[in-house]
């Protein structure tokens, strides 16, 4: 039996690859360096763990992935491209692995009212009705057919490990920066949607994005921006992710050995022309809201440990997926919904910069 579930419409890419990105060497310090120079190349290696499988603000329900947590690793490279233009080229290669199951909902059996409905429909096709065999005999036929229907599996659909390749070209000025880039995603939550929800045959999604950000020169502790993505393969449509970030030192000289920062991010995600009303998927509009607190601790200037906690709320668009989940309907299990309406995600990562 083939079921298009709201879960798959909303299983999207995992969160940011690391809380602390590879730093870019100041342009002034590179003024005398040739355009092709190893000194212009910076990077970072990150490994991390989150207690819940999440992406773009969604926190996936326990039943979806037969568990919760996810591990990830990421390599980021950044190359400063000029003397005065402040252009840089960045690449990120990330890999996410769920530590629980790789089968959506564990491929449960049909149950509840859906099994009875399927059984009745099958009997009707064979000409077996209360009028043709009598009420008592029909009840016996229906009980047997219902028991047989409950042995059927809903759908075998997998969650693959996620490989993400992001490339971006960024321009940085005194108070603002803007990035233009491309995301290639294979597998993971977004791949589930492309392969099993949109029937593309492959867990591949391609996106292009633009991401402006503003940091006032007289308030370096504050920044705000929005990432706007357009997906053109696997899934088509728009994602919007506006955010506000507040930063403050906790102790030590910021960004030096034995120092800690506090970073609070307020963010949301929304879609336009992304979810098709033909399917029991999320509605377009607000998808999720979240507040994330992270505290990067600089053990060394080039080695950072970052614990974090995120509080996530489901938006109205995401709530539709829970309300109309076909897995909930076909199993009769109210826990077979794609998302938590409220979720708390703890995480920790270790980053080495070079």
């Amino acid at each position: 039996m083939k079921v298009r579930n709201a879960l798959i419409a909303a299983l999207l890419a995992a969160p940011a690859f690391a809380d602390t990105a590879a730093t870019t060497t100041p342009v002034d310090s590179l003024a005398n360096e040739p355009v092709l120079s190893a000194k212009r190349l910076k990077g970072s290696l990150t490994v991390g763990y989150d207690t819940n499988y999440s992406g773009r603000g969604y926190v996936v329900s326990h039943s979806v992935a037969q568990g919760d947590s996810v591990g990830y690793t990421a390599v980021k490279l950044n190359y400063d491209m000029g003397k005065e233009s402040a252009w840089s080229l960045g690449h990120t290669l990330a890999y996410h692995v769920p530590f629980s199951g790789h089968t959506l909902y564990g491929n449960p059996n049909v149950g509840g009212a859906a099994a009875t409905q399927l059984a009745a429909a099958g009997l009707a096709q064979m000409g077996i009705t209360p009028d043709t065999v009598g009420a008592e005999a029909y009840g016996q036929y229906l009980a047997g057919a219902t028991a047989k229907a409950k042995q059927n599996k809903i759908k075998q659909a997998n969650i693959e490990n996620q490989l993400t390749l992001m490339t971006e070209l960024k321009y940085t000025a005194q108070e603002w920066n803007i990035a233009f880039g491309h995301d290639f995603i294979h597998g993971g939550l977004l791949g589930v949607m492309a392969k099993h929800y949109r029937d593309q045959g492959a867990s591949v999604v391609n996106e292009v994005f633009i991401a402006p950000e503003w940091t006032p020169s007289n308030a370096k502790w504050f920044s705000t921006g929005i990432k706007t993505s357009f997906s053109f393969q696997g899934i088509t449509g728009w994602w919007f992710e506006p955010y506000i970030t507040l930063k403050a030192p906790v102790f030590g000289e910021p960004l030096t050995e034995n120092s800690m920062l506090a970073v609070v991010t307020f963010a949301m995600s929304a879609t336009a022309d992304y979810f098709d009303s033909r399917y029991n998927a999320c509605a377009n509009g607000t998808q999720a809201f979240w507040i994330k607190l992270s505290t990067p601790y600089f053990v060394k200037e080039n080695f950072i440990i970052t614990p974090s906690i995120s509080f996530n709320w489901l938006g109205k668009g995401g709530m539709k997926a829970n309300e109309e989940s076909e897995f909930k309907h076909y199993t009769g299990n109210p826990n077979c919904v794609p998302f938590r309406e409220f979720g708390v995600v703890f995480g920790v990562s270790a980053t080495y910069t070079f």
Side-chain angles (χ1 to χ4, degrees):
M1 178 182 298
K2 192 168 185 177
V3 176
R4 303 177 186 274
N5 188 302
L7 149 76
I8 300 170
L11 291 180
L12 301 171
F17 308 118
D19 293 310
T20 306
T23 55
T24 304
T25 303
V27 174
D28 291 344
S29 68
L30 298 173
N32 297 320
E33 292 295 324
V35 174
L36 296 179
S37 170
K39 292 183 179 180
R40 293 182 177 273
L41 181 65
K42 301 295 178 181
S44 67
L45 172 65
T46 296
V47 294
Y49 168 84
D50 288 334
T51 57
N52 290 96
Y53 204 173
S54 61
R56 298 197 179 177
Y58 298 123
V59 178
V60 174
S61 72
H62 180 88
S63 62
V64 165
Q66 305 166 274
D68 297 301
S69 56
V70 62
Y72 60 90
T73 184
V75 177
K76 305 186 76 170
L77 297 174
N78 186 282
Y79 191 82
D80 189 287
M81 297 175 63
K83 298 179 180 180
E84 299 179 357
S85 66
W87 286 98
S88 63
L89 181 65
H91 296 280
T92 300
L93 177 65
Y95 195 68
H96 291 75
V97 181
F99 291 146
S100 47
H102 282 254
T103 303
L104 299 182
Y105 295 105
N107 191 20
N109 290 4
V110 176
T116 302
Q117 293 170 0
L118 290 171
L123 292 175
Q125 289 181 350
M126 294 186 292
I128 301 175
T129 68
D131 293 335
T132 58
V133 299
E136 183 176 352
Y138 179 78
Q140 294 175 350
Y141 278 115
L142 183 61
T146 299
K148 187 174 181 179
K150 289 182 177 180
Q151 297 175 8
N152 294 328
K153 296 287 187 178
I154 291 183
K155 179 182 181 182
Q156 182 71 38
N158 64 326
I159 304 174
E160 301 173 52
N161 295 341
Q162 178 180 316
L163 174 68
T164 303
L165 176 62
M166 182 182 74
T167 303
E168 68 173 15
L169 182 65
K170 179 182 286 188
Y171 179 85
T172 302
Q174 185 176 1
E175 292 192 346
W176 58 273
N177 65 75
I178 184 168
F180 309 87
H182 170 260
D183 290 328
F184 169 83
I185 302 166
H186 183 280
L189 304 177
L190 201 62
V192 166
M193 179 180 173
K195 183 176 181 179
H196 301 298
Y197 170 67
R198 291 291 180 91
D199 297 323
Q200 296 301 299
S203 301
V204 174
V205 172
N206 275 284
E207 296 179 329
V208 290
F209 66 83
I210 181 171
E213 181 182 70
W214 177 59
T215 302
S217 57
N218 60 350
K220 294 293 187 181
W221 51 269
F222 170 89
S223 61
T224 184
I226 179 171
K227 181 178 180 180
T228 300
S229 305
F230 178 73
S231 178
F232 60 89
Q233 182 189 7
I235 315 161
T236 57
W238 296 89
W239 270 96
F240 306 96
E241 298 172 76
Y243 62 89
I244 294 173
T245 299
L246 309 178
K247 303 175 287 290
V250 178
F251 58 78
E253 185 69 22
L255 309 183
T256 63
E257 181 176 334
N258 195 29
S259 67
M260 178 178 285
L261 294 175
V263 182
V264 180
T265 299
F266 303 86
M268 68 167 292
S269 61
T271 59
D273 298 324
Y274 201 86
F275 297 110
D276 196 320
S277 60
R278 292 179 299 167
Y279 307 116
N280 289 345
C282 299
N284 287 303
T286 60
Q287 301 303 314
F289 303 85
W290 65 97
I291 302 172
K292 183 174 183 178
L293 169 65
S294 59
T295 53
Y297 171 57
F298 287 72
V299 182
K300 301 287 185 180
E301 288 188 18
N302 65 341
F303 182 64
I304 307 105
I305 301 293
T306 306
S308 64
I309 182 172
S310 178
F311 303 92
N312 300 56
W313 293 266
L314 197 57
K316 288 185 177 180
M319 286 181 182
K320 181 188 175 186
N322 284 358
E323 294 169 357
E324 301 188 11
S325 168
E326 288 188 350
F327 269 90
K328 180 173 66 175
H329 168 71
Y330 278 99
T331 62
N333 183 352
N335 293 321
C336 283
V337 294
F339 308 119
R340 301 175 189 234
E341 292 193 11
F342 172 72
V344 180
V345 182
F346 294 92
V348 63
S349 66
T351 300
Y352 172 74
T353 64
F354 53 88

